[in-house]
Amino acid sequence: MSKERQELGRMGENMAADYLTDAGFDIIARNYRCSRGEIDIVAMEGEELVFVEVRTRHGALKMGTAEESVTHVKRERLRALAARYLCEKKYDQWPPMRFDVVAITYEPDDVNIRWIKGAF
């Protein structure tokens, strides 16, 4: 992954975290990593545990929208990562939970943030 792409992803994750915090979320983890991959944001919204995938696109949508890039394979990987996270954190009982997507389209003079609650 190019340095420019990493920077764009980091910027998108920061924007998403700020957006969700402003919406009342309590961010409890960012960039949770294990051998199977990474969860961008883990947060609480009220009593619900939310696993958030952040997708950021720059400019023209030649490769599709940010939210379209969350494929079936990516969704399955995120479900497995969430289960691993819950086991690692030793929850006695799994709380209500969901998977959200924050899709960001970034251009120097325009940022569009779309929050898809319960995306999958």
Side-chain angles (χ1 to χ4, degrees):
M1 181 182 297
S2 72
K3 188 174 181 175
E4 180 181 292
R5 203 163 156 206
Q6 285 177 335
E7 232 174 80
L8 180 66
R10 201 169 316 120
M11 182 184 64
E13 288 176 9
N14 289 336
M15 286 193 291
D18 290 344
Y19 183 88
L20 294 171
T21 299
D22 290 347
F25 280 61
D26 180 24
I27 307 289
I28 56 175
R30 289 191 55 187
N31 304 112
Y32 163 78
R33 286 184 178 91
C34 69
S35 61
R36 299 203 60 184
E38 175 185 312
I39 300 173
D40 296 325
I41 298 172
V42 181
M44 293 296 295
E45 184 184 34
E47 298 296 315
E48 198 165 28
L49 186 62
V50 185
F51 298 96
V52 182
E53 175 67 9
V54 179
R55 302 304 259 192
T56 308
R57 289 284 187 262
H58 186 270
L61 300 176
K62 292 181 256 179
M63 302 295 286
T65 65
E67 53 266 44
E68 288 172 335
S69 70
V70 183
T71 65
H72 173 73
V73 171
K74 181 65 174 179
R75 291 190 299 269
E76 290 304 311
R77 183 177 300 127
L78 287 168
R79 286 184 181 104
L81 286 165
R84 178 121 180 217
Y85 175 87
L86 291 165
C87 290
E88 187 177 293
K89 300 301 178 188
K90 296 183 170 90
Y91 280 84
D92 291 332
Q93 183 176 348
W94 288 7
M97 66 188 92
R98 69 173 195 260
F99 294 87
D100 291 1
V101 172
V102 174
I104 300 169
T105 303
Y106 173 81
E107 295 186 42
D109 56 348
D110 186 37
V111 175
N112 183 341
I113 299 175
R114 294 169 309 285
W115 170 27
I116 304 159
K117 190 174 183 175
F120 57 95

